[in-house]
Amino acid sequence: MRNDIGFVVIGRNEGSRLVDCLASIAAYTPRIVYVDSASTDQSVQHAQAQHVHVLELDMSIKFTAARARNAGFELLLQHYPDLSYVHFVDGDCMVDQAWVSHAADFLSHHAQVAVVCGRRCERYPQATPYNQLCDIEWNTPIGKAKACGGDAMMRVAVFKQVGGFNVNLIAGEEPELCIRIRQLGFDVWRLDHDMTLHDAAITQFSQWWKRTVRAGYAYAEGSRLHGAAPEHHWVNESRRAWIWGGILPALWLIALLACPLVFIALTGLFAVQYFRLLSKHKHLGNFSSVYVKYLMLGKVAEMYGQLRYTWHRLLNVKSTLIEYK
């Protein structure tokens, strides 16, 4: 057991998932802060029963996951000021026991690296196609990376130096933080090691749709903040949403009523895109066709998220969470 690592867990109405999460960490260290965001279940009581430090956020102030993580980090350092590393974990995840030492050892031997993450896997990938989509999403390339996700171990000194997460972002706060960390000259690494088991618990199409809309919103906001060179942050993702989720579908609908030849041409274009993506993702086997269909439909949801962000920005409306569970 190492004394230089602390954990910040955030959650809302995670129930038994939170119990499993905290138990998986407590087996390694008692240096844990749980930040609750107005849960209406027994989450706070579950955390207190496991003797971790609990912080209940004031929900009269705008809530974001970034704000919860920052608040948890501050409380963690109040109790354990000499920590070298902080590990952020979402409350619907279980931490792999071997991962913690592996990640800390990597950081201790690589001074240039400020953030490490490993493989986040879905706990029940076969339960729904949406869970399986998440499992595929988590499987990012090994090695030097541009960003991490919500589960990651970071150097405390570097996290403090960049000022923590951007509390104004409703999503995509981890990649934005990593941009600022990399601008200081540090690296982000994704290690070839299991890190957490995540329970997406997405059982309905409406949940998947909202989650994808949120991604589109994050793409729009991220490209506005860091879209310029050299980052070009989420510029391509935003462009693809506009083209494949907005412009081409709109032209396709107009052509359906006004220009049959253009309608046929655009239908052919969508078919070509479908089979191109199918070939690209054939390694997914029988799930490849399902994956590609959601990938293409997701561009429409992302486009809606782009429009929602644009509308909020034009009207100077503060963004609010897009919750899907």
Side-chain angles (χ1 to χ4, degrees):
M1 181 177 294
R2 296 179 55 157
N3 297 324
D4 56 350
I5 304 171
F7 281 79
V8 173
V9 181
I10 65 170
R12 181 180 184 183
N13 292 328
E14 297 297 351
S16 61
R17 291 183 297 239
L18 178 64
V19 174
D20 293 339
C21 173
L22 295 176
S24 71
I25 302 170
Y28 183 84
T29 178
R31 298 167 183 81
I32 308 169
V33 166
Y34 168 63
V35 184
D36 187 82
S37 303
S39 290
T40 56
D41 63 2
Q42 299 298 307
S43 291
V44 170
Q45 289 80 1
H46 289 325
Q48 291 171 337
Q50 297 205 38
H51 306 291
V52 305
H53 303 287
V54 177
L55 174 61
E56 297 182 67
L57 286 183
D58 179 1
M59 299 304 286
S60 66
I61 304 172
K62 175 186 171 183
F63 166 75
T64 62
R67 177 189 162 213
R69 292 193 181 106
N70 284 353
F73 174 78
E74 292 174 4
L75 182 59
L76 184 69
L77 287 195
Q78 288 178 23
H79 289 283
Y80 312 105
D82 297 327
L83 293 177
S84 299
Y85 311 120
V86 57
H87 203 311
F88 294 99
V89 182
D90 290 344
D92 53 6
C93 294
M94 295 174 61
V95 179
D96 182 271
Q97 292 301 299
W99 159 255
V100 180
S101 294
H102 184 76
D105 288 344
F106 186 88
L107 285 174
S108 66
H109 289 92
H110 298 81
Q112 197 65 25
V113 179
V115 181
V116 290
C117 57
R119 174 76 161 102
R120 176 194 259 198
C121 301
E122 277 303 310
R123 193 173 180 180
Y124 308 108
Q126 305 301 325
T128 70
Y130 314 114
N131 285 5
Q132 196 163 354
L133 289 170
C134 288
D135 194 62
I136 295 170
E137 178 184 332
W138 307 142
N139 193 16
T140 56
I142 302 298
K144 191 174 179 178
K146 284 190 172 182
C148 66
D151 306 334
M153 185 180 291
M154 304 183 186
R155 293 188 186 276
V156 167
V158 177
F159 185 81
K160 291 169 65 176
Q161 188 176 351
V162 298
F165 291 99
N166 184 337
V167 299
N168 295 314
L169 300 181
I170 66 169
E173 67 276 3
E174 305 96 339
E176 195 279 333
L177 171 70
C178 288
I179 287 175
R180 289 183 281 121
I181 288 176
R182 288 189 287 105
Q183 287 174 344
L184 289 179
F186 292 97
D187 294 330
V188 178
W189 275 77
R190 192 262 168 118
L191 306 181
D192 188 13
H193 196 291
D194 287 344
M195 176 179 60
T196 50
L197 273 178
H198 176 259
D199 186 4
I202 302 178
T203 60
Q204 300 177 15
F205 176 83
S206 59
Q207 292 176 282
W208 170 83
W209 179 266
K210 289 177 182 178
R211 184 176 184 272
T212 312
V213 168
R214 188 182 70 172
Y217 195 106
Y219 292 157
E221 191 162 30
S223 63
R224 182 186 68 82
L225 290 173
H226 301 287
E231 288 296 337
H232 301 294
H233 181 51
W234 281 340
V235 170
N236 288 335
E237 289 81 357
S238 296
R239 184 182 296 120
R240 284 193 288 266
W242 280 92
I243 294 173
W244 291 102
I247 296 172
L248 291 179
L251 291 175
W252 183 79
L253 290 174
I254 293 171
L256 175 63
L257 301 175
C259 189
L261 289 178
V262 174
F263 171 77
I264 293 173
L266 288 173
T267 301
L269 180 62
F270 282 118
V272 169
Q273 176 72 344
Y274 172 79
F275 287 108
R276 184 186 73 83
L277 292 173
L278 196 63
S279 176
K280 181 180 179 180
H281 299 287
K282 60 184 179 181
H283 61 282
L284 297 177
N286 294 333
F287 192 71
S288 59
S289 61
V290 177
Y291 178 78
V292 170
K293 289 172 184 175
Y294 278 105
L295 195 65
M296 295 183 69
L297 181 60
K299 293 295 176 284
V300 179
E302 290 173 9
M303 181 61 202
Y304 179 70
Q306 295 268 326
L307 290 173
R308 184 167 173 173
Y309 171 76
T310 303
W311 183 248
H312 284 176
R313 184 160 168 75
L314 287 173
L315 296 182
N316 196 28
V317 175
K318 290 185 178 181
S319 56
T320 56
L321 283 184
I322 302 175
E323 298 185 85
Y324 63 93
K325 65 176 182 178

